[in-house]
Amino acid sequence: MSKPPATEVHTTGLDDEVAALFPDVDSGVARRLIASAVRAFAERGYHATTTRHISEGAGLSPAALYVHFTTKEAVLHEVSRVGHLGVLDAIRTAAAAEPTPPQRMRALVRAFTSWHVEYHTFCRVAQYEIAALTEEHYAEIADIRRDTERFVRREIQAGVDSGDFTVPTVATAARAILSMGIDVARWYHPGRSTDPDRLVAEYADLAAAMLGVQG
Amino acid sequence: MSKPPATEVHTTGLDDEVAALFPDVDSGVARRLIASAVRAFAERGYHATTTRHISEGAGLSPAALYVHFTTKEAVLHEVSRVGHLGVLDAIRTAAAAEPTPPQRMRALVRAFTSWHVEYHTFCRVAQYEIAALTEEHYAEIADIRRDTERFVRREIQAGVDSGDFTVPTVATAARAILSMGIDVARWYHPGRSTDPDRLVAEYADLAAAMLGVQG
């Protein structure tokens, strides 16, 4: 087993993350810029990253960023927007495919956890750097987050209403389940001795137990 | 109710956080420097913070930092070390005061959650900026984290062994419980409509349910 790196930020596989998250970006250059920006933001933080770091990290000339993005903040906005919308879509789709509240909830937790495993570097930036967004862009991301929390709360409430769940504190349970998944972006990296499939399955079980799934 | 600020980083009460966490630092100047550093790291990130930012944020001359700390990294190291040791001590003390595994676990979760509420700005830095530490300092923090995880796993295992808990996945449950608490440092701020005492009590209940507490 390989020794894990000394630091916390791991950007291997980032090009694959970006390719999966930006299927509509048909410019390879734009994708390389996004991957380079996420890498730089994750490694040194948004404020210490320059547009030159981003361009040169993509193997391009210093001003290349401006062909595709107006500012450094525009890249962070795009990364945050795509990340937050993507995970909301993933949990909605996962839940919709299941017939009962407990099955829907397990599918939701599996999808949410998988997302934060698969896109861990990307999520790290989307979750921890967004204080740097403009007020308008921050408000847009905050709205998507509220939609996500609301969706999880409704799914839990549906299970309480059907008698499948016994949890008395729906809003706090939603927060706890979201935190379990989001924090994966902080601690997970491929070098760790964590099997992603097992983690995803066990988190679904733990969330079900937390909600007091009956039977 | 006051409107929450537009951004995510909230540093009100930081001087109180530092005073509580550094009772042995009897120099008011050193405390002001630590508070200023935590504020700057939380707001702009470690790499974009200069020693000048830290000194001037404390109302001191540009070079004042060096009277108390050899480098900017030394401040981050001290903040990370005190934060990680402090929370480990807090959960050990809380658990030790209780007689049974379920009571010990509830006390542990209450203490862990309270810590991340009370020191949310401080924890934000200690959790999300430590990739910037030197390899040696990072290894020291990673050791404290391992001790913390090990302690939570042992507490869960004790409840499984006594028949109080039914959870089959001890290590993953420990991770989930830690994530619930750590992520509080990301989302909590005093302007939110979250009652800290209620959150702490509800998180203890949710963790107990997750572990399958009997009776």
Side-chain angles (χ1 to χ4, degrees):
Chain A
M1 213 169 68
S2 65
K3 186 173 166 287
T7 63
E8 290 233 311
V9 180
H10 307 274
T11 58
T12 43
L14 188 54
D15 291 331
D16 294 339
E17 290 184 37
V18 170
L21 288 170
F22 294 88
D24 300 337
V25 174
D26 53 7
S27 155
V29 171
R31 283 191 193 167
R32 269 157 60 202
L33 285 165
I34 294 168
S36 173
V38 170
R39 185 176 293 114
F41 295 159
E43 286 176 351
R44 68 178 95 209
Y46 175 82
H47 292 290
T49 297
T50 63
T51 55
R52 190 185 186 106
H53 289 138
I54 298 173
S55 296
E56 293 186 347
L60 300 167
S61 69
L65 182 73
Y66 298 111
V67 178
H68 296 273
F69 296 96
T70 49
T71 60
K72 176 176 76 157
E73 195 269 348
V75 191
L76 181 63
H77 176 222
E78 185 64 2
V79 164
S80 306
R81 201 182 59 79
V82 167
H84 281 82
L85 283 175
V87 72
L88 175 54
D89 184 58
I91 61 176
R92 278 186 173 142
T93 303
E98 302 291 337
T100 68
Q103 287 166 302
R104 287 169 65 91
M105 183 52 56
R106 281 178 192 276
L108 185 164
V109 172
R110 281 196 302 267
F112 195 73
T113 308
S114 289
W115 182 276
H116 288 87
V117 167
E118 193 166 355
Y119 302 120
H120 56 102
T121 313
F122 203 88
C123 291
R124 175 175 272 262
V125 169
Q127 290 294 345
Y128 303 135
E129 299 292 329
I130 68 169
L133 291 174
T134 65
E135 197 159 340
E136 187 190 351
H137 289 163
Y138 183 84
E140 181 190 344
I141 304 302
D143 276 346
I144 306 171
R145 286 185 171 184
R146 269 190 290 273
D147 287 345
T148 306
E149 270 203 59
R150 201 175 294 131
F151 179 72
V152 177
R153 282 202 302 268
R154 279 188 194 149
E155 289 294 320
I156 298 174
Q157 190 61 53
V160 170
D161 293 345
S162 67
D164 287 305
F165 303 158
T166 59
V167 67
T169 53
V170 171
T172 308
R175 192 165 273 300
I177 286 172
L178 290 169
S179 279
M180 284 165 57
I182 290 168
D183 197 53
V184 167
R186 181 186 61 81
W187 64 260
Y188 178 81
H189 62 81
R192 277 186 91 113
S193 58
T194 303
D195 175 48
D197 293 337
R198 195 174 144 185
L199 176 75
V200 164
E202 290 180 358
Y203 264 32
D205 288 343
L206 290 169
M210 185 190 269
L211 299 175
V213 167
Q214 302 299 295
Chain B
M1 211 170 67
S2 64
K3 186 171 167 289
T7 63
E8 292 233 310
V9 179
H10 307 274
T11 58
T12 43
L14 188 54
D15 291 332
D16 294 339
E17 290 184 37
V18 170
L21 287 170
F22 294 88
D24 299 336
V25 174
D26 53 7
S27 155
V29 171
R31 282 192 193 167
R32 270 156 62 202
L33 284 165
I34 294 168
S36 173
V38 170
R39 184 176 293 113
F41 295 159
E43 284 176 353
R44 69 179 95 209
Y46 174 83
H47 293 290
T49 297
T50 64
T51 55
R52 189 183 188 108
H53 289 138
I54 298 173
S55 297
E56 294 186 347
L60 301 166
S61 67
L65 182 73
Y66 298 112
V67 177
H68 296 273
F69 296 96
T70 49
T71 60
K72 176 176 78 155
E73 196 269 347
V75 190
L76 181 63
H77 176 221
E78 186 64 2
V79 164
S80 306
R81 201 181 60 79
V82 167
H84 281 82
L85 283 176
V87 72
L88 175 54
D89 183 58
I91 61 175
R92 278 186 173 143
T93 303
E98 302 291 338
T100 68
Q103 287 166 303
R104 288 171 64 92
M105 183 52 56
R106 282 179 191 275
L108 185 164
V109 173
R110 281 196 302 268
F112 196 72
T113 308
S114 289
W115 181 276
H116 287 88
V117 167
E118 192 166 357
Y119 303 119
H120 56 103
T121 313
F122 203 89
C123 291
R124 176 177 273 263
V125 169
Q127 290 295 346
Y128 303 135
E129 298 293 329
I130 67 168
L133 291 174
T134 64
E135 196 159 340
E136 186 190 353
H137 289 162
Y138 183 85
E140 181 189 347
I141 304 301
D143 276 346
I144 306 171
R145 286 185 170 184
R146 269 190 290 274
D147 287 345
T148 306
E149 271 204 57
R150 200 175 295 132
F151 178 73
V152 176
R153 282 202 301 269
R154 279 188 193 149
E155 289 294 319
I156 298 174
Q157 190 61 53
V160 170
D161 293 344
S162 67
D164 288 303
F165 303 158
T166 60
V167 67
T169 54
V170 171
T172 307
R175 193 164 273 298
I177 286 171
L178 290 169
S179 279
M180 285 166 57
I182 290 169
D183 197 52
V184 167
R186 181 186 60 82
W187 65 260
Y188 178 80
H189 62 80
R192 278 188 89 114
S193 59
T194 303
D195 175 47
D197 293 338
R198 196 173 144 186
L199 176 75
V200 164
E202 291 180 358
Y203 264 32
D205 287 343
L206 290 169
M210 186 190 269
L211 299 176
V213 167
Q214 302 298 297

